[in-house]
Amino acid sequence: GAVVSQHPSRVICKSGTSVKIECRSLDFQATTMFWYRQFPKQSLMLMATSNEGSKATYEQGVEKDKFLINHASLTLSTLTVTSAHPEDSSFYICSARASGGGYGYTFGSGTRLTVV
Amino acid sequence: GENVEQHPSTLSVQEGDSAVIKCTYSDSASNYFPWYKQELGKRPQLIIDIRSNVGEKKDQRIAVTLNKTAKHFSLHITETQPEDSAVYFCAPRDTGRRALTFGSGTRLQVQP
């Protein structure tokens, strides 16, 4: 079945630094990828929709200059958390749909970000 | 965007009992209705889904029912087992965003 690889699984960074998270579709092409954030004991909240070859679409309240998304190829989307602060500590998880639509959504394994 | 409400937030049942979780949504154009199970620190796992042209779908102990008129769908787990203990999310597809919108989650605890 469709597999999405997400790296790193865990990262600890210092306040003010930047962290890049990669999401790669391994056996299918994904024109669209979705980035979610999940705080402890809460639901997954959509942050942005990543579109191959064009700008990402950000949800209301998500700073596009802080959460940089790049979707340069049909198999790779990256999320960079810039100037990270402790309140950015969360579980970040990506999801992809295969090109051509359909209903299947595949999730990455998630990245636990801790900002100290 | 899609507004999703999920109830109950917690559910405790005895092993062997049934569990039902309900999800209501607002987007009348939604056409895909999945349920996910998430264990601590892990990705959500799809356990069952239903499309808008079907009213009910069953897979062994798990079933989903859909009422498009009332805009709600429910997850039914029968003969619950301790390993069913997890957080369950409904996530109807927002046709505008093309993304899944997750409900607030239900923490299911199955007591042995």
Side-chain angles (χ1 to χ4, degrees):
Chain A
V3 176
V4 171
S5 174
Q6 184 172 344
H7 293 282
S9 57
R10 290 177 184 276
V11 58
I12 300 173
C13 71
K14 292 185 178 180
S15 286
T17 61
S18 296
V19 171
K20 181 186 279 190
I21 302 169
E22 285 192 356
C23 187
R24 196 178 295 268
S25 56
L26 297 186
D27 49 4
F28 67 100
Q29 293 183 331
T31 53
T32 304
M33 290 191 181
F34 306 96
W35 287 95
Y36 292 84
R37 178 167 54 182
Q38 185 177 31
F39 291 108
K41 297 189 178 181
Q42 293 189 24
S43 185
L44 285 78
M45 299 300 295
L46 181 67
M47 298 176 66
T49 300
S50 166
N51 304 297
E52 187 267 335
S54 65
K55 291 183 180 180
T57 305
Y58 290 82
E59 293 301 300
Q60 193 171 6
V62 178
E63 299 174 57
K64 62 180 180 181
D65 295 330
K66 180 171 181 61
F67 298 99
L68 301 179
I69 289 173
N70 185 282
H71 193 155
S73 78
L74 284 171
T75 59
L76 176 64
S77 176
T78 61
L79 168 67
T80 301
V81 183
T82 63
S83 187
H85 290 286
E87 56 265 32
D88 298 324
S89 299
S90 189
F91 189 57
Y92 292 85
I93 189 162
C94 64
S95 175
R97 291 180 66 203
S99 300
Y103 293 96
Y105 292 79
T106 303
F107 285 85
S109 53
T111 297
R112 171 76 55 197
L113 170 64
T114 303
V115 184
V116 297
Chain B
E2 178 89 274
N3 289 320
V4 180
E5 291 191 8
Q6 183 176 336
H7 298 282
S9 57
T10 61
L11 181 58
S12 183
V13 299
Q14 290 294 125
E15 182 176 358
D17 287 350
S18 295
V20 180
I21 304 170
K22 186 174 176 179
C23 184
T24 59
Y25 60 94
S26 63
D27 182 359
S28 55
S30 284
N31 53 13
Y32 177 62
F33 308 93
W35 283 96
Y36 287 87
K37 175 183 181 182
Q38 188 182 31
E39 296 176 345
L40 192 61
K42 302 282 182 68
R43 77 185 88 194
Q45 279 182 287
L46 178 68
I47 55 171
I48 197 164
D49 58 11
I50 194 168
R51 301 181 188 181
S52 58
N53 58 344
V54 179
E56 183 174 354
K57 181 177 176 181
K58 190 173 181 182
D59 182 5
Q60 299 184 3
R61 297 186 298 110
I62 295 173
V64 55
T65 56
L66 171 65
N67 184 328
K68 280 223 78 181
T69 304
K71 290 190 279 189
H72 67 73
F73 62 113
S74 298
L75 174 69
H76 305 256
I77 306 175
T78 59
E79 300 171 37
T80 53
Q81 301 167 2
E83 51 266 36
D84 294 330
S85 297
V87 180
Y88 292 81
F89 293 98
C90 63
R93 181 174 177 264
D94 180 324
T95 51
R97 291 180 176 81
R98 298 167 294 142
L100 301 178
T101 300
F102 282 78
S104 52
T106 297
R107 185 168 299 275
L108 173 66
Q109 204 158 8
V110 180
Q111 309 285 352

